[in-house]
Amino acid sequence: MTYNFPIIGIGASAGGLEPLELFFEFAKPTADFAYVLIQHLAPNHKSLMDELLARHTKLPIQIIQHNMPLERGNIYLNPPKKFVELHEGRFVLSEKEDRKLSFPISTFFNSLAEQGHEKACAIILSGTGSDGSEGIKFIKEKGGLVIAQNPESSKFDGMPKSAILTGAVDKVCAVEQMHQELESFFSNTVELDRQKLDSKDSKTVIASILGTVYQQLAVDFTDYKYTTVSRRIARRMSLLGYSEMAEYLDFLKVHRDEAQLLSKELLIGVTRFFRDEEAFEYLKNSVIPKLIAENQETKSMRVWVPACSTGEEAYSIAILIRDYLRIHKLQYEVSIFATDLDKESIKLAANRIFPENISSEIPPEYLHLYFIPQRKGFTISKEIREMIIFSVHNVVQDPPFNKIDLISCRNFLIYLNSNLQQRLFSLFQYSLRTNGFLFLGSSESLGDASDDFLEIDKKNKVFANKQNKKNDSTTSVFG
């Protein structure tokens, strides 16, 4: 379902009442928005939030019920002991007891991202912990807006600070400014939607924008898909209040920091641990045992994770390999090269303190064995961290790695046009040894490169390199 009005998801916890009252005092009764408030509620106490907020707004307030339709011009409040999600214009409630751990804000934001896309907004207000910080990444990935309360104005700054550390927050501001940001972003988005982005004039301006980025940063985005590029440029324009691409181009030319921000926008660095559980389960049960057996003589393994973003995918693979070696009492030298073009992402990946809500993504046995609890989340164990070499690397322009057993390049190729995809597949064939494995994302395919790889598992997107380009010898993948 496509929504024709913005949906504003608001996450609040301890100290959230005062900013919520202030937020809705500034909400216009005529605003074309729907507001969904997800707060941490005591399970056995009746919430008075509806009565308290009614003193500060004329908008109708409703406690969410299962299958209730979502309509503009309303404020919706989550009920106690329930998780709230959206599906085809209606609310879906589920029992908290059915979930491993309680992160209701991130749960709703994930759902909002999938349903709302560019019409979604996530706002993080005062609260302890890190709930919401994983969910906002997906709002950002789908083109929505992410706002965090200024930590200095928050009674409890844990949630806003955790959100800001993800790099997915677009605006950090006082509560009084939030409606101005909402109206600016969504009114400009409406104007940009009306432009004919496929027109010759628009394509010419976008080419100039990408040329300016290349001139300033030496990063070439010309082979990214036009739909992706135009949508991300439009998003930056909305954030800055521009409705004309030519005006944005003029701004870009004189503000070097904007080229960096647009570049980060185009890189779309959203990841999570064990993303697509079934695919990682296949990697664990079928690919890793095969790789260990094939490297029994050298007792070494080399893995490359290009476009690794903030490192969750690389850490996930390291955990699976280390756990297999632990169970089978084996000692191998494992080198995982995790690379990305974004310097900030690489810096963050190499020195991670993961938020507490990663515990909803990671099997309990892995969490216990390979993560160290900290006051504000988790750090990765030394044995996992030492397996990975994080480095800044342009997969298109820099020399590739070689003698690689496994390349995991997931959810990156979908943003590139077919010509660049084929160039990368050729590069991967050079990097992988004969029979080395290629692991792609669920929506990605080999296209014209399918003759160079053997399909090992169609559903989980696992392929084997038929022949290394530097090596004429070939053997059966499972022979």
Side-chain angles (χ1 to χ4, degrees):
M1 175 178 179
T2 302
Y3 294 92
N4 58 4
F5 56 90
I7 306 164
I8 316 301
I10 306 169
S13 185
L17 177 58
E18 184 177 334
L20 281 168
E21 291 175 338
L22 186 58
F23 178 85
F24 284 110
E25 278 186 6
F26 281 83
K28 296 179 181 178
T30 56
D32 195 30
F33 303 151
Y35 302 94
V36 183
L37 170 57
I38 307 295
Q39 53 186 328
H40 293 163
L41 299 172
N44 299 315
H45 289 82
K46 180 181 180 341
S47 173
L48 301 175
M49 185 60 74
D50 52 342
E51 297 176 29
L52 295 170
L53 290 183
R55 303 173 185 175
H56 300 272
T57 180
K58 294 181 180 179
L59 289 167
I61 302 171
Q62 303 188 57
I63 306 298
I64 297 169
Q65 298 179 26
H66 185 67
N67 210 35
M68 175 185 281
L70 174 72
E71 298 175 346
R72 74 183 78 201
N74 286 266
I75 300 171
Y76 298 93
L77 308 181
N78 63 315
K81 296 195 278 191
K82 302 285 185 181
F83 273 85
V84 178
E85 295 175 276
L86 282 175
H87 183 66
E88 295 184 352
R90 292 181 178 272
F91 289 104
V92 176
L93 298 182
S94 57
E95 297 291 335
K96 277 193 175 183
E97 288 76 10
D98 296 337
R99 309 286 179 126
K100 288 185 291 186
L101 290 159
S102 180
F103 298 109
I105 298 171
S106 274
T107 297
F108 178 72
F109 285 171
N110 290 351
S111 167
L112 175 57
E114 287 299 322
Q115 296 287 308
H117 291 231
E118 290 93 346
K119 294 291 185 181
C121 171
I123 296 177
I124 299 287
L125 299 178
S126 173
T128 59
S130 61
D131 194 7
S133 61
E134 289 301 299
I136 62 173
K137 296 179 186 178
F138 296 93
I139 298 285
K140 179 73 172 278
E141 181 184 38
K142 295 294 185 179
L145 174 66
V146 181
I147 300 175
Q149 183 179 356
N150 190 320
E152 287 73 29
S153 69
S154 305
K155 189 171 182 180
F156 295 90
D157 62 9
M159 279 173 40
K161 279 187 173 179
S162 179
I164 293 165
L165 284 172
T166 66
V169 173
D170 297 302
K171 298 285 184 178
V172 179
C173 60
V175 174
E176 299 93 320
Q177 297 172 287
M178 290 181 180
H179 282 283
Q180 182 180 339
E181 297 293 349
L182 291 173
E183 290 173 18
S184 174
F185 181 85
F186 287 110
S187 63
N188 280 318
T189 300
V190 170
E191 293 300 318
L192 289 165
D193 285 343
R194 294 170 183 168
Q195 293 186 21
K196 297 184 184 297
L197 288 174
D198 287 331
S199 70
K200 184 178 179 180
D201 288 345
S202 292
K203 289 183 176 180
T204 299
V205 177
I206 286 176
S208 296
I209 289 171
L210 297 183
T212 302
V213 172
Y214 181 76
Q215 185 180 35
Q216 295 187 17
L217 304 179
V219 179
D220 189 358
F221 289 107
T222 54
D223 283 323
Y224 275 51
K225 285 182 180 175
Y226 181 76
T227 51
T228 298
V229 169
S230 59
R231 189 181 302 120
R232 292 281 152 177
I233 289 173
R235 189 177 183 282
R236 283 301 307 163
M237 291 169 60
S238 296
L239 287 167
L240 293 166
Y242 288 106
S243 57
E244 296 293 333
M245 283 192 177
E247 294 178 354
Y248 176 70
L249 174 59
D250 290 339
F251 176 83
L252 180 68
K253 286 178 177 178
V254 296
H255 292 81
R256 189 180 181 88
D257 58 335
E258 177 57 24
Q260 191 68 52
L261 290 169
L262 177 58
S263 173
K264 193 171 183 65
E265 190 85 26
L266 290 166
L267 291 172
I268 316 172
V270 175
T271 184
R272 66 188 304 174
F273 285 97
F274 305 104
R275 190 173 184 180
D276 301 326
E277 289 181 18
E278 285 187 33
F280 275 91
E281 194 69 15
Y282 182 83
L283 201 69
K284 169 187 171 182
N285 294 328
S286 300
V287 176
I288 288 173
K290 179 65 179 174
L291 289 175
I292 297 291
E294 288 178 343
N295 290 290
Q296 189 172 5
E297 186 175 333
T298 63
K299 288 191 166 39
S300 65
M301 190 186 306
R302 289 163 64 87
V303 178
W304 182 19
V305 184
C308 71
S309 186
T310 50
E312 283 86 340
E313 184 180 327
Y315 283 122
S316 298
I317 293 172
I319 288 168
L320 294 182
I321 295 172
R322 176 57 62 199
D323 204 58
Y324 184 92
L325 295 173
R326 177 188 65 84
I327 291 169
H328 293 87
K329 297 181 171 58
L330 298 171
Q331 292 291 330
Y332 275 55
E333 183 181 340
V334 181
S335 299
I336 299 175
F337 305 99
T339 66
D340 200 279
L341 185 59
D342 187 345
K343 294 178 182 178
E344 291 182 18
S345 291
I346 287 295
K347 184 178 179 181
L348 179 61
N351 299 282
R352 292 301 302 270
I353 296 180
F354 298 99
E356 60 185 354
N357 58 5
I358 64 163
S359 53
S360 64
E361 304 172 10
I362 299 172
E365 64 272 22
Y366 294 160
L367 195 68
H368 173 70
L369 286 168
Y370 303 116
F371 290 84
I372 303 165
Q374 304 290 334
R375 189 169 64 88
K376 294 185 177 181
F378 299 90
T379 53
I380 200 85
S381 68
K382 184 179 179 182
E383 63 178 327
I384 298 297
R385 177 63 188 86
E386 289 182 343
M387 295 169 67
I388 305 173
I389 302 159
F390 287 103
S391 63
V392 177
H393 179 270
N394 188 325
V395 68
V396 179
Q397 299 172 0
D398 295 336
F401 295 85
N402 58 23
K403 299 179 182 178
I404 298 296
D405 296 291
L406 167 67
I407 292 177
S408 179
C409 185
R410 312 189 72 243
N411 306 304
F412 170 62
L413 297 167
I414 53 174
Y415 300 113
L416 311 179
N417 67 28
S418 58
N419 289 335
L420 185 52
Q421 286 181 10
Q422 297 312 305
R423 282 170 54 196
L424 288 185
F425 287 134
S426 179
L427 181 150
F428 292 160
Q429 197 184 12
Y430 172 92
S431 295
L432 284 167
R433 62 167 174 81
T434 299
N435 298 333
F437 290 93
L438 176 62
F439 187 30
L440 300 181
S442 58
S443 301
E444 295 167 331
S445 61
L446 291 171
D448 293 340
S450 56
D451 290 341
D452 297 323
F453 293 86
L454 180 65
E455 185 177 79
I456 302 301
D457 190 279
K458 182 176 183 180
K459 181 180 180 183
N460 294 306
K461 303 293 183 176
V462 176
F463 307 88
N465 187 19
K466 287 183 178 179
Q467 182 179 350
N468 178 269
K469 287 194 172 183
K470 296 176 67 179
N471 186 354
D472 292 330
S473 63
T474 57
T475 57
S476 169
V477 173
F478 285 96

